[in-house]
Every structure is written in structure tokens, then in C-alpha cells.
Amino acid sequence: MVCLSPCVDPWLLQLKDRDEKLGEAGELQRFLGNLDHFQQWLSRTQTTVASEEAPNSLADAEKLLNQHQQLKVVYTHSFKADWEANYRNLY
């Protein structure tokens, strides 16, 4: 009986190494996609904030503050869920 182990073992090691590298490349691709998505959101948000007028009264300021707090809750929840699903294992 011929033993193939000496020939097969290096191939299995190469296959395992390539599989690990492919997994790392996939993680990097997901990260870069998420980073691109975040940068687009940040750019839109900066444009919106820059184009907003300053409040003219205390009531206007309180109204804007309330809107910002509501948006903060929405975005914090959204990004927290995304972070937990995709990045928690990195830290």
C-alpha cells in the first residue's frame, strides 16, 4: 500500500492557508464597503448640517435639539446593531 500522506499534507496546509487568507480578504472587503457607506452618510450629513440655518429663537433651538436627539437615537441604534453584527469580534 502506498502512503500518500507526505504528498497530501503540504497541499492540505496550502489549502488551509489560502482559506484563511480568503476569509481575511472577505472581512477586509466588508469593512471597506461599510467604511464607504459611512463616508457617504457622513458627507450627506455634513452637507445637511452646513446648509441648515441657525435658530432664531429659543423655541427654534429647542425644536432643533429635539430633532437631533431623535436622530441620535435612530442612528445610534442602527450603527450599534451593525457594529455588533460585524465588528464586535475585532475588539
Side-chain angles (χ1 to χ4, degrees), residues 19 28 32 42 49 52 55 57 65 87-88:
D19 187 48
L28 178 59
L32 292 175
L42 183 59
V49 168
E52 292 288 328
S57 67
L65 182 59
Y87 305 110
R88 176 174 244 164

Side-chain angles (χ1 to χ4, degrees), residues 13-82:
L13 289 174
Q14 277 186 331
L15 183 61
K16 182 180 177 184
D17 184 49
R18 288 183 182 190
D19 187 48
E20 289 174 2
K21 288 179 181 178
L22 184 60
E24 291 173 4
E27 286 181 25
L28 178 59
Q29 189 66 31
R30 280 188 297 279
F31 173 79
L32 292 175
N34 289 334
L35 179 60
D36 186 50
H37 174 72
F38 174 74
Q39 287 177 323
Q40 290 173 5
W41 171 83
L42 183 59
S43 177
R44 286 191 310 267
T45 303
Q46 287 175 328
T47 301
T48 301
V49 168
S51 66
E52 292 288 328
E53 294 182 18
N56 295 321
S57 67
L58 179 59
D60 289 343
E62 289 173 340
K63 181 179 176 184
L64 283 174
L65 182 59
N66 188 36
Q67 289 175 351
H68 288 203
Q69 288 171 338
Q70 290 173 356
L71 288 173
K72 180 181 176 183
V73 169
V74 169
Y75 286 118
T76 300
H77 178 71
S78 173
F79 284 113
K80 182 179 179 187
D82 184 51

